[in-house]
Amino acid sequence: MMKRTSGVLMHVSSLWGEYSEGSFGKAAYEWIDFLSDCGFGVWQTLPFCLPDDVNSPYKSYSAFSTNPYFIDVPSLYEEGLITRSELEGAKQASPYICEFRRLNSERMRLLSKAASRFTETEKIDAFMEKHPRTEEFCKFMALRAANDDRPWHEWTCDVLCENTLRTWRFVQYKFFEQWMKVKKYANDRGISIIGDIPIYVSLDSADVWASPELFQLDEKYNPTGVAGVPPDYFAEDGQLWGNPLYDWDKMTEDNFAWWRERISFMTELFDGVRIDHFRGLESYFNIPATDTTAKNGKWVKGPGMALIKALKEACGDKLLIAEDLGDITPEVYELVKESGFPGMKVFQFAFLGGSDSPHLPHNYPSNCIAYTGTHDNETMLGYIWEVDGATRRKMFDYCGYYGDNWDESRLPIILTLLRSHADTVIFPIQDLLFYGRDTRLNIPGKGEGNWGFRITKAQVETIDRRELRYYNELYGRS
C-alpha cells in the first residue's frame, strides 16, 4: 500500500446520517465516492472497538470487540429485524454531533430486539468459531450484565445472562457483515482503509479477565503499575491513562500469541493499521498505580524487535504504521528504522524547532505518513489562531502564502504536504473543510466532551472535488 498517495482521516462516527452517529449505511458509500472523486486513495479511521464510558475508542472492554453503534439501523429494518416504528423512534435530534447519551441508553435495547428476531444462528456460530476472542468478549459482557455491570474482579455470579450473550453475538456478527461490504466497496474503487490499534487495553476488559497472567497485576488483580506518558506538548502533568501494563516476559513465552491474534483481527478489518504509541514497544512508561499524575513514572525496556517480528509474521503484507510521536529517543528512531514501518510526521509540530525539524516537509523521508494534524491535535485553523504571530508568519511563508487572510492559507498548506516526499499524506476532514477549534475531535487528558464531532453531507459538498483531484494528480498521488 505504500505507494505515493493521499487520504482523509475521519472516524466512522463523524459520518452524516439520521441515527445519532455515523454508521455503515448509505453515507459510508457516499463518503467513499467523495474520496474517489477527489483522487484520494486512503480512508483512515480510529479504533473500531467498543468505546468506554466517556466514548473514547482508545479504551474498551475488549481489543477484539467492535462498536455496535456503527451498525446501520435502516438495514435492520429492510431485513425485517426491527419495525417501522422502531426505526422512526431511533432517528436523531441533531445531525451535528454524536448523541452518545441517547445511544448509550437506547441503541442496545433496539439491537437486542433485532437479535431476538434473527433466526440464522448458524451464521453467527460460524463467525464465532473463526473469532474465538470475540466470542470471549461476548461471554464477558454477558457475565458482566449478570453481575450488575460491576468490574470483573468484583463478580460473584458465574451464570451469564443469555439474552445479553445473544445480543452481543448478533451485534458482532452483524457489524462484520456490514463493514465487509463497505470495505469491499472502498477497495473496488481504489480506496485502502487504515485502522488504528490502541497499544493498551482496559483493566476491566475481556482481555485481562481471560488472561490476567499476561499483565502486571498483584494477587488481587490490581495493577502494580499503570500506563501513560510523561509531560509533553499536550499535557504539562503528563497523561495518566491508567491501563494495566503487559507482562512482556510472560508474553515472550509463546511468541506473543495474544498480540499475533490481535494484529490478525485488525488486519482482517483493515488494509493497514496504525500502532498507537509505538514508542511503548521500545520502552514503556510505568507509573505507580497509586499516583494521581504521570510525573513520577519511569521508562522500562519493552519487547522491541521480538514483538515486531511476530507482528510481521501475523499480518502478512498488510501495512503497519508506527505512531512515533512524543518523547522519542534515538533507540525509538532505531526501532522504527529496523522495523521498516513508516513513521508519522505532523505539520503542526514543524515550527517548534529549527530547520532540521523532522516534521518540516522538506525533511520528510519517503517512508512516512504525513499529517496536518492527528485526532489529538487542534484543527489546522484552530492551530493558526492559537500560535504566536511570528510562528504563524513563518509557517505561511514556508507554504508560499504571503497574505494575511488566514482562510486563504488553507490551499497553500494542503499543497505543501502534497508536494512533499512523504509516500502518504493524510488530512483530517476538519482541515479539508478548514474548520476551527469547535470541531476538534479530542483534547488529550480531558475526560468529557470529546469524540462527538460530525459532518453533514451539505458540508462535504462545499469541498471542490475537481480541485483536489487536480492537485492529487499533479503531485503524483492519484
Side-chain angles (χ1 to χ4, degrees):
M1 205 172 87
M2 283 303 291
K3 62 180 182 178
R4 190 166 173 82
T5 188
S6 61
V8 182
L9 168 62
M10 185 181 73
H11 200 29
V12 174
S13 60
S14 295
L15 279 167
W16 57 93
E18 299 182 82
Y19 297 93
S20 298
E21 185 176 75
S23 75
F24 299 148
K26 180 182 177 183
Y29 296 89
E30 293 173 339
W31 169 247
I32 291 165
D33 290 339
F34 165 80
L35 294 174
S36 179
D37 290 346
C38 293
F40 290 122
V42 174
W43 174 13
Q44 182 167 346
T45 78
L46 303 187
F48 272 12
C49 53
L50 178 70
D52 69 359
D53 56 2
V54 293
N55 311 304
S56 170
Y58 288 88
K59 206 170 183 181
S60 177
Y61 287 126
S62 173
F64 298 86
S65 64
T66 57
N67 188 339
Y69 305 150
F70 291 172
I71 292 173
D72 180 50
V73 178
S75 295
L76 300 181
Y77 168 72
E78 291 166 7
E79 294 175 52
L81 298 176
I82 62 173
T83 67
R84 168 61 70 176
S85 62
E86 288 166 347
L87 176 65
E88 291 296 321
K91 285 194 172 180
Q92 66 203 17
S94 170
Y96 300 110
I97 194 167
C98 295
E99 297 175 338
F100 291 129
R101 185 173 298 178
R102 184 178 179 199
L103 287 166
N104 293 336
S105 65
E106 298 178 11
R107 187 55 55 86
M108 285 306 294
R109 289 203 301 270
L110 179 61
L111 293 172
S112 183
K113 291 177 181 178
S116 69
R117 297 161 185 161
F118 186 74
T119 59
E120 299 176 276
T121 54
E122 69 281 357
K123 291 184 177 179
I124 297 178
D125 293 339
F127 171 81
M128 291 300 169
E129 188 174 349
K130 293 180 181 178
H131 301 88
R133 291 287 188 180
T134 304
E135 176 87 283
E136 194 173 75
F137 157 72
C138 295
K139 291 178 179 177
F140 172 85
M141 296 302 285
L143 282 168
R144 203 171 190 279
N147 285 275
D148 301 318
D149 290 328
R150 295 194 304 273
W152 65 265
H153 51 276
E154 297 178 9
W155 290 353
T156 56
C157 175
D158 60 2
V159 180
L160 52 77
C161 176
E162 290 292 344
N163 181 58
T164 303
L165 178 61
R166 179 188 63 206
T167 299
W168 279 108
R169 293 178 90 242
F170 167 80
V171 161
Q172 299 303 293
Y173 163 76
K174 188 56 68 174
F175 180 103
F176 259 78
E177 181 186 62
Q178 291 190 359
W179 171 243
M180 288 307 173
K181 291 177 182 178
V182 174
K183 183 176 181 296
K184 183 179 187 304
Y185 187 85
N187 292 164
D188 288 348
R189 282 150 186 79
I191 307 297
S192 298
I193 300 178
I194 294 176
D196 202 337
I197 181 170
I199 187 172
Y200 293 117
V201 300
S202 299
L203 175 62
D204 186 20
S205 68
D207 311 298
V208 183
W209 165 70
S211 306
E213 71 281 0
L214 299 180
F215 300 86
Q216 296 183 33
L217 309 176
D218 62 21
E219 65 279 359
K220 294 183 178 179
Y221 302 116
N222 296 311
T224 55
V226 295
V229 290
D232 62 7
Y233 172 84
F234 290 117
E236 63 181 22
D237 287 336
Q239 296 178 43
L240 179 62
W241 299 337
N243 309 75
L245 300 166
Y246 298 110
D247 186 332
W248 290 117
D249 290 337
K250 183 66 177 177
M251 285 189 158
T252 304
E253 293 177 5
D254 58 7
N255 191 28
F256 308 98
W258 184 88
W259 266 95
R260 284 187 282 115
E261 287 183 68
R262 188 182 190 190
I263 205 70
S264 295
F265 181 76
M266 290 292 103
T267 52
E268 184 179 359
L269 289 167
F270 305 110
D271 300 302
V273 180
R274 188 193 82 127
I275 302 176
D276 187 54
H277 193 58
F278 182 85
R279 71 100 58 243
L281 304 186
E282 191 283 321
S283 292
Y284 60 91
F285 204 56
N286 187 333
I287 304 166
T290 56
D291 279 16
T292 57
T293 75
K295 287 184 175 180
N296 297 322
K298 62 179 181 179
W299 292 106
V300 181
K301 207 68 176 174
M305 276 305 298
L307 174 60
I308 289 170
K309 288 176 181 177
L311 296 182
K312 284 183 170 182
E313 291 171 4
C315 77
D317 62 354
K318 294 294 183 78
L319 174 69
L320 298 183
I321 299 167
E323 191 266 292
D324 54 347
L325 305 174
D327 184 11
I328 304 303
T329 64
E331 291 81 6
V332 178
Y333 281 120
E334 185 58 34
L335 183 63
V336 174
K337 182 179 178 181
E338 188 177 357
S339 74
F341 300 161
M344 291 176 58
K345 309 301 176 188
V346 179
F347 186 67
Q348 287 188 29
F349 298 156
F351 301 95
L352 298 176
S355 62
D356 61 345
S357 167
H359 296 284
L360 278 167
H362 69 262
N363 292 323
Y364 292 169
S366 59
N367 189 35
C368 77
I369 317 288
Y371 299 78
T372 45
T374 73
H375 65 277
D376 282 333
N377 286 98
E378 182 60 87
T379 67
M380 196 66 220
L381 181 58
Y383 172 78
I384 289 170
W385 274 87
E386 74 178 14
V387 295
D388 63 89
T391 300
R392 185 186 308 118
R393 185 70 265 160
K394 183 179 180 181
M395 180 181 65
F396 286 170
D397 289 349
Y398 184 91
C399 296
Y401 174 64
Y402 304 108
D404 57 7
N405 183 335
W406 298 356
D407 288 340
E408 293 177 357
S409 68
R410 168 191 166 275
L411 185 59
I413 291 169
I414 288 174
L415 298 186
T416 297
L417 267 69
L418 290 177
R419 292 187 195 108
S420 74
H421 286 295
D423 281 336
T424 302
V425 172
I426 302 289
F427 304 100
I429 184 60
Q430 295 96 317
D431 292 351
L432 283 186
L433 291 162
F434 218 50
Y435 282 174
R437 60 177 53 187
D438 57 320
T439 65
R440 182 172 180 170
L441 190 63
N442 179 52
I443 300 176
K446 180 173 176 278
E448 301 289 339
N450 293 322
W451 315 110
F453 168 72
R454 289 181 77 191
I455 57 173
T456 66
K457 187 177 180 181
Q459 289 170 332
V460 170
E461 292 300 332
T462 66
I463 297 173
D464 190 332
R465 303 184 190 203
R466 287 181 296 178
E467 177 186 66
L468 288 172
R469 173 168 283 279
Y470 171 79
Y471 287 116
N472 272 316
E473 289 175 350
L474 182 65
Y475 298 116
R477 296 190 180 276
S478 180

